[in-house]
Each structure stands twice: as C-alpha cells, then as structure tokens.
Amino acid sequence: MKRMNIYGMLAIMALSACTTNDNNRIQGTWELVSGNLHMENDTLALFGKNPSGSLILTENMRFNVILNDMDVPAFHTEDRSQGNCEELRAAVTGSLALYGTYTVDGNGDFESQHVIGSTFPNWNGLDRDNGQLSLERKGNLLVENLPLDNGGVVVIEWRKIED
C-alpha cells in the first residue's frame, strides 16, 4: 500500500512537472491599445478617446485587468467618497478592474477565466470559457472578444510590453 502511495505521489509530481507554462502564449504584461463596443451599425469607444489600461497574465495563471478613460474629470474633492452624482457616474462608467485566474489549452492559447473580484459586482465569481470570451494572440497584439446578449461585441486590443 505504501508503494502504491509513493508511486501515486511520483506520478502527480511528474505530471505537474510536465504541465509547465512554457507554452503559455498569452502570459505577460500588456498595455491597452483600444476598447470598443461594436454594434450592428455603430462603434463606441468604451473608455473614451484617451483610453489606458493594463492586463497582467502571470506564469502561475493569475490575471489582473485595469481599464480607464484618462479624460474623466477630477473630483471637486480629494475624498472620493464625497464625489457628486456626476463625478461618481463618470468614474464608474470610465473605469473597470477585475482579477482572478485563467487557464490555457495544450497549445498555450486562452481556454477559460474565473473572475474572483471586479469593480462590476455582477462579475464577482464569474466563470467564462473561450466560447464566452476569447483572447487571440496576433504577434505582439492580444485581441479580446466578448460577445454580448444584445448582439454587440466588446473588442479590446492589448499590446505586449517587452520584458
């Protein structure tokens, strides 16, 4: 019985060693190029004319995303809890952040995402596979597509920051 447990542990260790992230094609630090909502006859820049953002996909399969509109006006106060309705609305609609875990398939391409937390609370705990969210590497670009229930598609483009 002990021999069986030892072999089992060795098999798990060997399998873990073979499951490296060396072929992870999306890992790295990415900067926002654009973020648009494409509808049937219209395109809307989701984070304004001056978007900024960062996507970090780590070796240990964690991710962090920050998106924001750099043209959102400053609050009239230094205490963000004291912003007026217009300031708060602009801050919420002009930014998004989320973090969690992700997986890649055997080719190193995006497979799934688990959102642990988000500034959009409806996404807390959300699981998405590559049928609901796609990330496609195209050279130094990573193109994200998020189809919406209303027929629109959010397309976010990221540029790889060289390490």
Side-chain angles (χ1 to χ4, degrees):
M1 188 64 153
K2 283 185 180 180
R3 177 176 277 167
M4 184 72 109
N5 287 341
I6 291 171
Y7 286 136
M9 289 175 59
L10 288 173
I12 289 170
M13 289 171 58
L15 197 57
S16 295
C18 292
T19 313
T20 65
N21 295 327
D22 292 341
N23 66 342
N24 184 340
R25 293 175 24 92
I26 63 173
Q27 173 186 327
T29 304
W30 303 81
E31 64 183 347
L32 183 65
V33 174
S34 64
N36 295 303
L37 170 60
H38 297 280
M39 297 298 287
E40 189 173 314
N41 295 318
D42 200 14
T43 298
L44 172 67
L46 291 173
F47 299 97
K49 294 178 183 175
N50 190 18
S52 182
S54 173
L55 168 62
I56 300 170
L57 297 157
T58 69
E59 180 180 7
N60 64 345
M61 311 308 280
R62 306 286 287 191
F63 76 89
N64 291 288
V65 179
I66 300 172
L67 299 158
N68 65 318
D69 179 347
M70 297 299 287
D71 294 327
V72 170
F75 283 25
H76 73 280
T77 176
E78 292 301 312
D79 182 350
R80 69 186 189 130
S81 70
Q82 298 301 311
N84 64 39
C85 289
E86 287 177 10
E87 292 167 333
L88 293 168
R89 179 174 283 118
V92 168
T93 59
S95 64
L96 178 65
L98 56 147
Y99 64 95
T101 60
Y102 73 101
T103 62
V104 295
D105 63 19
N107 296 321
D109 294 318
F110 175 81
E111 184 173 56
S112 68
Q113 172 190 75
H114 172 70
V115 178
I116 295 171
S118 173
T119 56
F120 181 54
N122 297 27
W123 285 0
N124 292 342
L126 178 67
D127 292 309
R128 295 189 271 213
D129 63 23
N130 58 9
Q132 299 158 312
L133 171 70
S134 69
L135 291 170
E136 184 181 354
R137 176 91 187 250
K138 296 178 179 183
N140 72 338
L141 288 180
L142 188 64
V143 180
E144 181 174 347
N145 285 279
L146 176 63
L148 303 177
D149 291 338
N150 65 6
V153 179
V154 173
V155 178
I156 300 176
E157 292 186 341
W158 304 94
R159 181 180 306 111
K160 177 94 166 153
I161 297 174
E162 296 303 320
D163 300 323

